Amino acid sequence: MSTTSTTSPLRTPNAILSIFVGGLIAGALDLTAAYIIYGVGVPRGIAAGMLGRAALQGGSVVYALGIALHFFIACSAATIYFAASRKLEFMVLHPLVSGVFYGIAIYLVMNLIVLPLSALHLKGPYRLESLIQGLLIHMFLIGLPIALSVRQFGRSSPG
C-alpha cells in the first residue's frame, strides 16, 4: 500500500511569487508615498545613495537606476522576511503584527545603517514629524504588504 500524498498548489510555498508580489507592492506603495511627500525627483535621490550627489542632477538613466534600486531593496526586504518566516512560523501565522514590526525594523536599518553608509552619508538629527511619518510608511506600506504576501503565497499549509 502506497502512502504517497499529493500536495495541492495552494499548500506548496511559492517563494518567488511571495517575494516578488510583496516586494513589488511594497515598492510601489513606498515610491508613491515618496512622490507625494518629496516630489518626482525621488528616484534620483535613491540613485545618489549609490552614485553620490552628482546623481541628483542626472538624467533618465539615473532616474531609471533609482527606480530599479528601489524595487531591488523592496524585493530584498521581502526575501529576508520570507527566509525568516521559514524558521519563525509566527511570521506567517500573524502577518499583521509581524508585518508592522518588520516595517519598524526596515525603517531602523535604512535610517541607522544604510543611509549613513551610502554615498550621501545621510544621518540625523531627525524631526519628530519625519520620524513618525517614516515609521508609519514603513509599517503599513512596506512591512505589512510583505507579510501579507508571504502569508498568502508562502505558507506551506492552509490556514
Side-chain angles (χ1 to χ4, degrees):
M1 181 167 162
S2 173
T3 59
T4 306
S5 65
T6 59
T7 306
S8 74
L10 294 177
R11 300 181 99 181
T12 303
N14 191 332
I16 301 295
L17 186 60
S18 62
I19 289 166
F20 282 110
V21 168
L24 293 178
I25 290 173
L29 291 173
D30 183 39
L31 195 56
T32 300
Y35 281 151
I36 291 168
I37 295 166
Y38 302 110
V40 295
V42 168
R44 285 186 189 91
I46 296 167
M50 186 169 90
L51 303 175
R53 293 203 183 275
L56 296 171
Q57 307 305 318
S60 58
V61 172
V62 171
Y63 198 88
L65 175 64
I67 292 172
L69 288 171
H70 179 75
F71 282 100
F72 173 77
I73 293 166
C75 288
S76 296
T79 300
I80 293 166
Y81 189 95
F82 181 86
S85 75
R86 301 302 89 187
K87 296 290 182 186
L88 304 172
E89 188 177 335
F90 69 85
M91 293 175 75
V92 176
L93 297 175
H94 304 287
L96 298 178
V97 172
S98 298
V100 166
F101 279 101
Y102 189 61
I104 293 170
I106 293 170
Y107 178 83
L108 292 172
V109 168
M110 290 302 295
N111 284 278
L112 299 177
I113 298 171
V114 174
L115 292 176
L117 293 175
S118 75
L120 292 175
H121 306 292
L122 298 176
K123 54 187 174 206
Y126 299 103
R127 293 186 342 231
L128 181 60
E129 176 185 314
S130 297
L131 174 71
I132 292 169
Q133 183 180 63
L135 282 169
L136 290 173
I137 287 170
H138 281 78
M139 288 164 38
F140 297 107
L141 301 184
I142 301 171
L144 202 52
I146 289 170
L148 291 172
S149 178
V150 170
R151 165 75 176 190
Q152 180 66 34
F153 302 112
R155 60 185 174 180
S156 57
S157 62

